[in-house]
Amino acid sequence: MEAGFTKGDSLVMYCDQTSSAEALVAQMGSIKAGVQVVTFAEKDNIDALDHALRSTKAKGLLFQPDHQIDDKTDRASFVNKLMPELSKMYFGDELALAAYPNLEKIVQTKFANMRGVNMFKDLAVYANPVYSSRQIPTNDADATCFVALKDGKTTSYSSGEMVELSQNLWDSELNNSSVNDQPVFMSCDLETPLGFASFLACSTNFKKVFIPGTYNMSSLLKALPTQNSSYLVCDADFYNLEAPPSGNYKEMCADIKQVLVAGAKGKSDLFSGAKATAKDPYSMQ
């Protein structure tokens, strides 16, 4: 709210697992303030980003600038291509983008200067009521809080629905992680309804989570025995990963007893001894 968002505005999320802290703070803060979180599945497609910004009349964009699309393209280049006006902006200029007239705030999660783009660290403020005249609005259970775009279809969740879905997810799946004090290991897209609901389910039920800030599979596997987690929430690529020919990677996964897979699960080489449940990360079915 201190950044200029009001109830009913939309914020498009375009981060990745290496910026999970910023993504979760933005999502939790947005929903609390009545701002709609917008996410989309085709993140390597510039047209999908354009559609997400246009169709939701987004007021804000939070993105990971250095995420590589291919050898020559990253997400910053997508943003600059869609918004050529940014290259001519100077400090203090207000956004005035022909293609996105509603867009007023663009925020990146890294630290290299970009014209027309704020850094996430510079927007984090201590909104002490003593020093701020802004009031957090009453959260309406029927108000849309989460909008997910995939394959040309839009799925919307109200605040009440998201809370109910997260609690159902806890009761049916994640509650099994409460048998010990070790954290739930989460390596999934936290901007999807399933990823966010999983985090929300654990948080509201006082269950610790561990979210690695990397996509490096070797680092992910080595972190499993360090955390001593018995429950894993991961995407299908991680679950279906074939064990490397060298190294004791299967032993590293031995403590995992249950897996919630975001996507279509195949026959797992690494987690063959664990009970696995698969759900679509967008429909949560």
Side-chain angles (χ1 to χ4, degrees):
M1 294 182 68
E2 294 286 345
F5 289 87
T6 58
K7 189 173 182 178
D9 288 337
S10 295
L11 172 67
V12 172
M13 303 293 300
Y14 194 36
C15 300
D16 64 24
Q17 190 164 301
T18 63
S19 294
S20 55
E22 293 88 342
L24 286 171
V25 167
Q27 289 178 90
M28 296 292 284
S30 296
I31 292 173
K32 188 172 184 179
V35 175
Q36 297 177 14
V37 172
V38 178
T39 184
F40 59 101
E42 300 83 2
K43 293 186 176 181
D44 290 346
N45 187 314
I46 192 172
D47 293 330
L49 173 60
D50 173 65
H51 175 69
L53 292 168
R54 288 179 186 271
S55 64
T56 62
K57 298 180 179 179
K59 187 173 184 177
L61 168 66
L62 175 64
F63 77 106
Q64 174 95 18
D66 60 350
H67 181 102
Q68 291 296 130
I69 307 298
D70 54 40
D71 292 341
K72 298 181 180 180
T73 310
D74 56 21
R75 290 182 179 176
S77 62
F78 271 10
V79 170
N80 284 319
K81 185 174 182 179
L82 291 174
M83 309 168 194
E85 297 96 329
L86 295 179
S87 63
K88 301 177 182 179
M89 290 187 65
Y90 291 92
F91 182 78
D93 290 348
E94 293 187 3
L95 283 180
L97 306 176
Y100 314 104
N102 298 291
L103 195 59
E104 297 181 9
K105 189 77 66 175
I106 305 175
V107 183
Q108 56 141 322
T109 58
K110 294 300 181 179
F111 307 102
N113 290 324
M114 291 181 62
R115 290 196 174 200
V117 177
N118 295 284
M119 295 183 190
F120 186 88
K121 69 180 184 68
D122 294 331
L123 295 183
V125 296
Y126 293 100
N128 191 312
V130 176
Y131 304 108
S132 176
S133 60
R134 301 182 186 275
Q135 297 293 320
I136 295 177
T138 301
N139 195 285
D140 183 359
D142 295 326
T144 299
C145 74
F146 208 104
V147 178
L149 309 176
K150 181 183 179 182
D151 298 332
K153 298 179 181 179
T154 302
T155 305
S156 299
Y157 299 91
S158 68
S159 294
E161 288 172 334
M162 184 57 71
V163 170
E164 182 179 1
L165 285 168
S166 67
Q167 189 58 46
N168 289 342
L169 193 59
W170 174 263
D171 293 338
S172 63
E173 301 293 340
L174 294 165
N175 184 44
N176 296 321
S177 67
S178 62
V179 295
N180 58 48
D181 293 331
Q182 303 307 319
V184 171
F185 196 105
M186 286 190 181
S187 178
C188 61
D189 187 349
L190 295 169
E191 293 179 4
T192 63
L194 181 61
F196 180 70
S198 297
F199 174 80
L200 186 62
C202 291
S203 299
T204 54
N205 288 281
F206 306 102
K207 180 64 181 180
K208 293 185 294 184
V209 298
F210 174 79
I211 304 171
T214 180
Y215 282 112
N216 183 280
M217 289 300 179
S218 178
S219 297
L220 288 174
L221 292 172
K222 290 177 181 178
L224 286 171
T226 302
Q227 296 302 318
N228 197 28
S229 299
S230 62
Y231 203 109
L232 170 67
V233 181
C234 67
D235 57 31
D237 287 341
F238 189 24
Y239 180 78
N240 298 329
L241 180 69
E242 185 176 345
S246 61
N248 59 337
Y249 291 105
K250 287 188 177 181
E251 294 179 16
M252 295 177 185
C253 304
D255 289 337
I256 297 296
K257 304 304 180 186
Q258 193 154 354
V259 185
L260 176 59
V261 184
K265 68 180 180 72
K267 184 178 180 181
S268 179
D269 189 26
L270 291 168
F271 305 104
S272 57
K275 178 184 177 182
T277 302
K279 290 183 179 292
D280 183 275
Y282 287 86
S283 68
M284 297 181 61
Q285 299 296 318

